[in-house]
Amino acid sequence: RSLVPFKKRRHDKSAVWPVWASPIQTFVIPHSHMDVGWVYTIQESMHAYAANVYSSVTEELSKVKERRFIAVEQEFFRLWWDTVASVTQKKQVRQLIKEGRLEFIIGGQVMHDEAVTDLDDDILQMMEGHGFLYETFGVRPQFSWHVDPFGASATTPVLFALAGFNAHLISRIDYDLKDTMQKNKKLQFVWRGSPSLKSQQEIFTHTMDQFSYCTPSYLPFSNRSGFYWNGVALFPDPPKDGIYPNMSLPVTKETVHAYAKTMVENIKQRAAWFRTHHVLWPWGCDKQFYNSSVQFNNMDPLMKYINQNSKEFGVTVQYATLSEYFQAIYQSNLTWEVRGSEDFLPYSTEPYQAWTGFYASRNVLKGVARHASSKLYAAETLFARYRISFPDGPVAKDWALDKLGALRWAVSEVQHHDGITGTESPKVADMYQQHLLQAMMGAEELLAALFLLPHNLMTDVDQALEQHVIVYNPLAWNITTIVNVTVTQPSAAVFDDDGQPVPAQIQGSAHSNATYDLFIVVELGGLQYRKYLIKFPENSKAFEAKAASFERRSVKDRAKAGRRLLPVLSECYELLFDQDTNLLHSITYLEEKRRVMITQDFWEYDANGDVKAGPISDNYIFSANGSAVRAYKAVEMEIIPGKIVTEIRQYFYREESDKDYAYSITTRVPECFGTKLPCHRLEQTYSLGPLSLNTEVVLRTSTSVKNNRTLYSDDNGYQMMKRTYRKFTNNTLARNYFPMVRTAYIEDDLSRLVLVSDRAHGVSSQTDGQLEVMLHRRLWNNLQWNLGYNLTLNDSSVVRPTLWMMLGSVSATSKLYQREAVQLQHRPVVILISTFHTTSQTLPKRGSLLRSVVLPPNLHLLSLSVPGWNYCSNHSVHLNLHSQPDYDRILLRIMHLFEEGEDPELSKPVTINLKEALQGMGEVKGVEERSLTGTWDVTSLQRWKWKTQRTRDDNFTVTISPKEIRTFFVHFVSRNF
């Protein structure tokens, strides 16, 4: 994976380098690429090599002042610092950092994926690492090293700019595009990733050349592995004698000239692709520098020899950190080409190697990771509110911060580019999932404690007759929505905290014959919770919905389609279902009385698993073996009409006579008449699996929308990207797949069909009017490299992703989809508390003392948390502050959801007074604006300005422009109740 594409890539030996007025200045940057996961678990990697990297690098850098090293993934460094490093090593590290010889790059917990990660989680994992580095060493990373993510998103440079970075580095972009950029010396540019923020958050970007982040492994005079003198890491245990396989030929008097010639030729080849006479020469690769003495003791004399003969070679070399390289580029004072908000997705390494399969690999892990992120968001906001209202309350603050810290770590870790991507081995996927599930259990304990402990509830109740539910809205918006509670009784009555009956509906569960779905209409203020009492009398007050079944229909009978149409109505839509196919026929959005023909069903691509028979699909790559075929032969349907929701259940059978269905769609249409329930949202949950081996299954939504195969999908839930269908000489189908993290839509002049998702998927529009979402993959192949690392994707799980669908005019849906995507991500948290032995009299009423906090509709409360960091802006002071965490510093992050010009009203800048907006939480006494990850005071943040073709706010009033994210430390007046 990390190495394979480069081994396969052709190296252009014909490049001609220019004659420079001065020697080419080469910055040799020692680094080790350490995957937080992938083939081996984190524990295995720490034991086999990762701990040795930092131990040996610390020792070797301390010996020779010219040596340098960049540290990238903070998870490994933090594990080493906390569990391995001696007092002496810690002292040496502090000195190396002070001298600028050990430099932290990116500074996040991981090198996050860019295609399938969500904005919330990208920020979180960066903040986790940045907080540790600032608190421990007083340093703030200012450069990125995104060398291995599979494609580059336009959101990442925006986030790095907001975090205070001065330059960004990427590597994996489409092979033919990289070739063109190399030839035209356009590998470096200034990137304005956001079309709304433009130059406000631009960042200089360096694209690595065709050799990428690994030192060339080819030596013309030896069959060993180039400049990796310490060889290949060994699992499970490092060799006791320090002798590893494939250690390279030592640098001696006999070999130094041959080594120098090889290195210089490569440097000159690279120099021809860039505009300045500075060359970034990365020295390292995956799992390198665990035996740094061997590395440096060979490179030292080699570099000395090149510099002694620099006139002959036309090259000088020096050890460098990344900041030293970028400083040299900055001082060259050139004028740079500007790149707009387009991204580098999808990514291909060769004609039949489109890395678009990982958008959908390991659907279960993708879902658990997003669910964990959502749980963390809810727990963070509730604990922050609790700390403000009950600073001396009974929930132990150190215990609470430990629970939050564990989930922060687990959610951060899985953002790794071989984690949430689904490109890891099965045991590593299991590791991520185990960490997430364990940490989520801790967060649920914290939520329960925050809801219950302030009120000293310890009264028994007969659980057979009643159940108590607390529903918490973690968003800073007022909401009216439906929550689903699973119960074991066939009838129920629901009451609010004032004892008033609440609209509810009960029906048989779609997934179990032993349970029932109880739908409850809840109204909640921003950041508020309410208690509901469920009673189970024989005479239910909840509407009991009964199913109407429709007989199984074969696909052979499609000729009869369209004659018997069954309507399902809501205030927004009329849905027509075809009784002759049991499929959706059309949807009319009633406000404009416009009908759109829509059919939804499942199709599958057959994947080749034999490398001798042609291109394969695997964890990474989607290489379709022809067009998709229908994945079923017959469909059954049930419709359950209700007073709150009408549910349509469609079951798809592989064969007409199969007893069990292979796929299903459950569509919930809200019956909103006379309520505040939003009617534009059609909630769909799917069931897929187990799949047949070597199949990739898609949900195909075929419509009468004239989109000309153009679709829009989001970059990381932050911004929408236009995806124009392109024809290629090879692999056109797979190269027109794109990542969908939260949102995708197709549109024409009259209508737009929007899907928002609870996890990442691949999405495409292969024919006019079609929106195709890849939901699940199960693959096996005989590629020796995949077999050796156990990187096949024989995923036999059943997956149940959720999509919400909206249909309407472009202007109507423009007002909705951003908020809907956020509301799907952060649905109300439902806590069943019958096991806590409480009664309705002792439970808190109406969110207790929690007053609502409501932001304007175009602003989203991106974060509200207690980071717990202990530092002050004066570094010399804060490095001695290793006592108690700071529980009173509240981190607030607010985002404007809309693009400039997207909506006549909602796209306008919004001015709010934070003191007034947050008064529902408490009295604000101070606000300090910070960089994205909280480590810079924005008044002291001076990012580099590059040559290319606002006013300050008062203390509490801030203006937030389209797509802007602003971060604050907020201090509240202390109070207790």
Side-chain angles (χ1 to χ4, degrees):
R1 189 253 353 169
S2 293
L3 295 177
V4 161
F6 312 123
K7 288 179 180 173
K8 289 181 179 176
R9 285 296 315 279
R10 59 199 182 283
H11 289 165
D12 181 5
K13 296 276 182 177
S14 62
V16 178
W17 51 88
V19 178
W20 302 103
S22 56
I24 298 168
Q25 187 179 4
T26 310
F27 295 80
V28 175
I29 299 182
H31 77 98
S32 181
H33 181 70
M34 295 191 273
D35 288 309
V36 183
W38 190 35
V39 176
Y40 303 102
T41 66
I42 289 156
Q43 294 80 0
E44 287 173 327
S45 294
M46 278 295 290
H47 178 70
Y49 80 95
N52 286 348
V53 170
Y54 290 114
S55 293
S56 71
V57 163
T58 299
E59 182 180 348
E60 292 306 312
L61 263 57
S62 299
K63 290 178 182 175
V64 180
K65 69 178 188 327
E66 286 79 19
R67 293 172 176 172
R68 303 283 191 275
F69 192 80
I70 62 169
V72 182
E73 299 84 2
Q74 282 308 297
E75 176 148 344
F76 282 130
F77 181 83
R78 290 176 72 178
L79 288 170
W80 176 78
W81 184 260
D82 290 339
T83 64
V84 177
S86 66
V87 173
T88 300
Q89 286 171 327
K90 289 185 176 184
K91 187 176 178 183
Q92 288 173 323
V93 165
R94 292 187 189 280
Q95 184 62 30
L96 293 169
I97 292 169
K98 188 177 178 183
E99 293 171 4
R101 301 200 290 116
L102 175 64
E103 182 171 74
F104 293 103
I105 300 298
I106 308 177
Q109 283 291 93
V110 299
M111 186 187 298
H112 69 257
D113 171 67
E114 299 198 38
V116 299
T117 51
D118 186 89
L119 165 84
D120 294 12
D121 306 322
D122 290 346
I123 296 171
L124 170 75
Q125 74 85 21
M126 268 208 295
M127 193 169 94
E128 267 293 280
H130 286 196
F132 163 77
L133 289 173
Y134 193 43
E135 188 176 40
T136 311
F137 305 114
V139 297
R140 297 174 281 209
Q142 294 175 56
F143 304 96
S144 90
W145 182 259
H146 259 225
V147 296
D148 203 26
F150 320 136
S153 156
T155 300
T156 306
V158 178
L159 297 183
F160 285 166
L162 287 164
F165 283 24
N166 283 314
H168 179 36
L169 184 147
I170 62 176
S171 181
R172 288 183 181 264
I173 65 171
D174 216 74
Y175 69 97
D176 49 2
L177 176 59
K178 181 174 279 195
D179 285 349
T180 302
M181 291 169 73
Q182 277 186 182
K183 286 171 187 163
N184 297 319
K185 295 192 177 187
K186 293 192 172 182
L187 290 169
Q188 295 172 322
F189 50 88
V190 171
W191 199 351
R192 293 177 180 167
S194 163
S196 294
L197 298 178
K198 302 183 184 73
S199 60
Q200 184 187 340
Q201 299 301 342
E202 70 187 14
I203 193 167
F204 180 82
T205 302
H206 171 101
T207 312
M208 282 187 153
D209 56 48
Q210 67 185 36
F211 294 102
S212 192
Y213 65 87
C214 290
T215 310
S217 57
Y218 172 71
L219 291 177
F221 56 91
S222 167
N223 61 359
R224 300 203 207 171
S225 60
F227 300 83
Y228 309 132
W229 289 281
N230 58 192
V232 176
L234 279 182
F235 289 81
D237 297 306
K240 290 185 171 58
D241 60 4
I243 305 300
Y244 288 80
N246 210 27
M247 294 176 78
S248 203
L249 202 65
V251 174
T252 63
K253 287 180 181 178
E254 291 73 32
T255 63
V256 67
H257 185 76
Y259 263 118
K261 187 180 175 190
T262 301
M263 186 171 175
V264 166
E265 282 182 359
N266 182 258
I267 289 166
K268 288 182 174 179
Q269 185 180 358
R270 289 176 141 162
W273 297 325
F274 293 92
R275 291 179 59 202
T276 74
H277 67 285
H278 310 100
V279 169
L280 189 163
W281 205 78
W283 176 36
C285 198
D286 292 45
K287 309 177 192 68
Q288 285 294 310
F289 282 87
Y290 47 79
N291 195 345
S292 298
S293 63
V294 178
Q295 288 283 79
F296 283 112
N297 287 337
N298 280 279
M299 184 59 90
D300 285 355
L302 173 57
M303 290 174 59
K304 183 178 179 183
Y305 180 83
I306 292 172
N307 287 333
Q308 285 173 341
N309 296 279
S310 62
K311 285 190 178 177
E312 175 194 338
F313 287 129
V315 164
T316 64
V317 291
Q318 66 188 76
Y319 289 126
T321 59
L322 188 60
S323 66
E324 289 173 303
Y325 170 74
F326 276 128
Q327 188 78 44
I329 299 297
Y330 183 58
Q331 289 170 351
S332 68
N333 210 27
L334 295 180
T335 299
W336 298 97
E337 186 173 86
V338 170
R339 184 179 182 89
S341 58
E342 64 269 36
D343 60 17
F344 292 93
L345 292 164
Y347 163 62
S348 293
T349 47
E350 289 183 21
Y352 285 100
Q353 293 199 356
W355 293 42
T356 57
F358 78 89
Y359 302 157
S361 294
R362 299 204 191 281
N363 181 285
V364 172
L365 179 63
K366 285 176 165 67
V368 171
R370 283 279 282 279
H371 183 54
S373 172
S374 175
K375 186 83 71 179
L376 175 62
Y377 179 87
E380 296 274 24
T381 57
L382 195 64
F383 180 62
R385 295 216 64 176
Y386 180 83
R387 280 296 308 160
I388 296 162
S389 298
F390 299 97
D392 300 315
V395 177
K397 55 184 183 291
D398 52 349
W399 172 83
L401 200 59
D402 282 347
K403 298 292 183 190
L404 292 171
L407 191 48
R408 289 171 186 170
W409 187 289
V411 173
S412 296
E413 168 186 278
V414 77
Q415 307 312 316
H416 169 57
H417 58 266
D418 285 304
I420 198 164
T421 51
T423 55
E424 66 277 0
S425 66
K427 70 177 176 183
V428 174
D430 291 344
M431 175 203 72
Y432 289 129
Q433 199 153 314
Q434 182 184 0
H435 291 178
L436 288 164
L437 292 172
Q438 285 179 339
M440 274 198 284
M441 286 173 62
E444 285 165 7
E445 290 174 29
L446 173 59
L447 284 166
L450 293 171
F451 286 134
L452 300 174
L453 279 181
H455 313 284
N456 300 313
L457 309 176
M458 290 301 293
T459 311
D460 287 327
V461 67
D462 185 347
Q463 292 175 34
L465 298 178
E466 16 181 88
Q467 190 167 36
H468 304 286
V469 177
I470 287 182
V471 184
Y472 172 56
N473 169 24
L475 295 170
W477 300 325
N478 295 333
I479 63 167
T480 301
T481 191
I482 299 167
V483 297
N484 181 13
V485 178
T486 300
V487 295
T488 56
Q489 304 294 324
S491 60
V494 183
F495 302 91
D496 65 15
D497 37 22
D498 293 323
Q500 297 301 308
V502 174
Q505 173 181 323
I506 194 165
Q507 62 195 44
S509 168
H511 300 297
S512 166
N513 293 327
T515 60
Y516 300 85
D517 289 332
L518 177 62
F519 298 108
I520 306 170
V521 177
V522 298
E523 290 187 54
L524 292 162
L527 301 181
Q528 276 190 326
Y529 62 86
R530 292 187 71 176
K531 182 270 297 180
Y532 296 88
L533 174 63
I534 304 170
K535 293 188 175 182
F536 301 104
E538 290 184 10
N539 299 317
S540 173
K541 291 191 178 171
F543 177 81
E544 295 185 12
K546 304 296 183 186
S549 297
F550 298 81
E551 64 182 76
R552 191 177 299 195
R553 296 293 183 183
S554 168
V555 295
K556 291 186 232 167
D557 301 331
R558 290 288 162 89
K560 303 174 186 174
R563 298 185 305 175
R564 295 189 299 153
L565 301 178
L566 188 70
V568 175
L569 276 167
S570 74
E571 279 187 281
C572 288
Y573 304 118
E574 179 187 53
L575 288 79
L576 294 179
F577 288 87
D578 191 330
Q579 294 181 66
D580 291 310
T581 63
N582 286 333
L583 297 178
L584 180 62
H585 170 272
S586 61
I587 301 178
T588 301
Y589 50 101
L590 299 174
E591 188 174 352
E592 300 193 23
K593 296 183 175 57
R594 184 163 289 122
R595 178 190 283 191
V596 176
M597 310 304 291
I598 296 182
T599 303
Q600 288 186 302
D601 57 359
F602 295 99
W603 294 66
E604 65 186 20
Y605 292 97
D606 292 325
N608 170 41
D610 182 3
V611 291
K612 295 177 182 174
I616 59 161
S617 280
D618 64 9
N619 298 40
Y620 309 89
I621 293 164
F622 172 42
S623 184
N625 199 19
S627 300
V629 296
R630 192 175 276 110
Y632 62 95
K633 297 283 182 60
V635 189
E636 283 178 5
M637 181 168 65
E638 285 182 319
I639 296 183
I640 308 170
K643 287 190 173 177
I644 290 176
V645 295
T646 290
E647 194 167 85
I648 301 97
R649 300 173 182 173
Q650 296 161 288
Y651 304 103
F652 297 77
Y653 295 84
R654 283 199 183 98
E655 302 296 334
E656 284 185 50
S657 58
D658 281 358
K659 182 182 176 186
D660 298 319
Y661 61 86
Y663 315 104
S664 72
I665 304 175
T666 301
T667 305
R668 289 176 180 159
V669 182
E671 299 291 324
C672 318
F673 303 102
T675 74
K676 298 177 188 171
L677 274 175
C679 64
H680 51 260
R681 177 194 304 164
L682 299 170
E683 301 186 8
Q684 294 193 313
T685 303
Y686 314 90
S687 173
L688 300 89
L691 304 186
S692 303
L693 194 58
N694 280 335
T695 56
E696 304 174 74
V697 177
V698 300
L699 170 76
R700 185 173 279 180
T701 304
S702 303
T703 77
S704 55
V705 174
K706 305 294 184 192
N707 72 315
N708 193 29
R709 296 191 288 190
T710 295
L711 67 93
Y712 295 77
S713 76
D714 64 317
D715 268 5
N716 312 102
Y718 177 68
Q719 56 192 347
M720 299 303 295
M721 311 299 289
K722 186 176 183 179
R723 313 294 194 185
T724 305
Y725 187 89
R726 293 173 59 198
K727 289 188 177 176
F728 297 91
T729 306
N730 303 301
N731 216 20
T732 290
L733 194 156
R735 293 182 79 174
N736 278 289
Y737 252 85
F738 300 92
M740 168 195 183
V741 176
R742 288 190 190 175
T743 311
Y745 61 75
I746 57 173
E747 66 183 21
D748 57 21
D749 292 341
L750 299 175
S751 306
R752 178 189 282 170
L753 176 78
V754 184
L755 297 177
V756 297
S757 175
D758 71 340
R759 68 198 69 181
H761 304 288
V763 66
S764 188
S765 182
Q766 296 288 338
T767 61
D768 195 31
Q770 201 177 84
L771 191 56
E772 183 173 290
V773 182
M774 187 178 288
L775 295 177
H776 199 14
R777 317 173 74 219
R778 184 180 182 186
L779 304 166
W780 184 90
N781 63 73
N782 59 5
L783 180 66
Q784 206 51 48
W785 188 79
N786 278 339
L787 292 174
Y789 285 128
N790 193 19
L791 287 175
T792 53
L793 191 67
N794 190 1
D795 184 353
S796 59
S797 58
V798 176
V799 303
R800 292 192 171 92
T802 294
L803 295 175
W804 289 355
M805 179 164 62
M806 286 160 283
L807 181 67
S809 66
V810 170
S811 61
T813 53
S814 289
K815 299 177 192 297
L816 295 171
Y817 74 85
Q818 300 92 333
R819 284 172 59 93
E820 289 298 308
V822 170
Q823 290 190 72
L824 175 54
Q825 171 76 356
H826 299 299
R827 285 169 281 189
V829 175
V830 179
I831 302 281
L832 302 176
I833 52 173
S834 57
T835 53
F836 286 88
H837 304 299
T838 60
T839 72
S840 56
Q841 284 74 36
T842 59
L843 276 165
K845 292 195 173 222
R846 205 175 286 278
S848 181
L849 301 165
L850 296 188
R851 295 164 59 197
S852 65
V853 177
V854 181
L855 292 178
N858 43 5
L859 297 186
H860 167 43
L861 183 70
L862 198 60
S863 306
L864 179 71
S865 67
V866 178
W869 302 327
N870 194 345
Y871 60 67
C872 71
S873 55
N874 184 333
H875 298 322
S876 59
V877 173
H878 97 253
L879 287 176
N880 297 312
L881 292 176
H882 291 297
S883 52
Q884 288 297 311
D886 183 344
Y887 292 97
D888 298 320
R889 180 189 283 114
I890 305 294
L891 184 135
L892 171 75
R893 203 176 275 119
I894 298 176
M895 172 181 168
H896 196 303
L897 288 174
F898 287 77
E899 293 283 5
E900 197 174 75
E902 189 171 16
D903 183 84
E905 289 301 317
L906 294 169
S907 289
K908 290 179 179 176
V910 185
T911 300
I912 59 170
N913 184 295
L914 291 177
K915 202 177 179 88
E916 293 173 5
L918 303 178
Q919 64 185 352
M921 279 192 267
E923 185 183 345
V924 175
K925 67 177 181 182
V927 172
E928 178 187 350
E929 186 165 9
R930 309 292 294 185
S931 61
L932 183 71
T933 57
T935 53
W936 288 96
D937 182 326
V938 292
T939 58
S940 66
L941 179 55
Q942 304 268 315
R943 291 178 62 237
W944 292 350
K945 301 291 182 193
W946 298 82
K947 285 187 179 179
T948 59
Q949 302 147 338
R950 70 188 168 161
T951 60
R952 294 289 304 160
D953 304 308
D954 68 28
N955 284 342
F956 298 112
T957 301
V958 297
T959 299
I960 302 172
S961 299
K963 282 297 168 188
E964 195 169 28
I965 300 171
R966 296 185 69 172
T967 305
F968 307 90
F969 285 155
V970 182
H971 299 275
F972 288 84
V973 173
S974 182
R975 61 176 181 158
N976 208 348
F977 296 94

